[in-house]
Amino acid sequence: QVQVEESGGGLVQAGGSLKLSCKVSGLRYHDYAMGWFRQAPGKEREVISCTSREGRLSFYADSVKGRFAISRDNAKHALYLQMDGLKPEDTAMYYCAADETWSGSACLDSFRQYDYWGQGTQVTVSS
């Protein structure tokens, strides 16, 4: 049974930082591309970052480029998202997701291409 568990969310002031973590079990982690997507109230889910199986290639949505950094540790079956320069518009539920198919920059296209994701962790940025 595949399990995806996000953690690290919380309340932070604008300009602050948070680091999200994700642990995955029940699959061959190094065979999966990984990504983060988020959903704000009343908005569609947005893939904000994704990385290849070995973490050598990563892509970012324009909304977070230059502020967020994705990384993975295959030995620990873990995925991370370092978020700096947080803005109130970053407030959302953040999800970690796994995709058996690596599609290059198209990994940003839609959360629907991902095979597994967790329950999410809430990030709230106050102004």
Side-chain angles (χ1 to χ4, degrees):
Q1 183 181 358
V2 176
Q3 291 188 322
V4 180
E5 185 174 0
E6 304 90 344
S7 62
L11 175 63
V12 64
Q13 288 189 333
S17 298
L18 280 176
K19 185 174 184 177
L20 305 184
S21 298
C22 171
K23 290 298 294 289
V24 181
S25 61
L27 51 72
R28 292 168 58 91
Y29 184 70
H30 59 271
D31 283 344
Y32 283 74
M34 296 296 297
W36 289 96
F37 64 87
R38 67 185 181 185
Q39 186 169 24
K43 294 188 176 181
E44 293 189 355
R45 291 180 176 180
E46 173 193 22
V47 182
I48 56 171
S49 185
C50 41
T51 188
S52 58
R53 295 181 179 94
E54 294 297 325
R56 294 194 181 103
L57 291 174
S58 298
F59 296 94
Y60 298 90
D62 288 343
S63 57
V64 305
K65 197 174 294 182
R67 300 187 297 121
F68 291 11
I70 191 171
S71 61
R72 65 187 293 167
D73 184 333
N74 284 357
K76 296 181 178 179
H77 285 210
L79 182 73
Y80 306 100
L81 187 68
Q82 177 66 45
M83 305 187 295
D84 299 320
L86 283 161
K87 305 175 181 179
E89 51 263 44
D90 293 319
T91 295
M93 186 71 79
Y94 284 71
Y95 300 87
C96 166
D99 186 357
E100 193 172 16
T101 303
W102 171 240
S103 54
S105 60
C107 63
L108 291 173
D109 287 355
S110 172
F111 77 94
R112 292 181 178 85
Q113 67 190 298
Y114 290 83
D115 303 303
Y116 305 100
W117 55 85
Q119 296 297 310
T121 186
Q122 177 68 38
V123 172
T124 302
V125 184
S126 63
S127 57

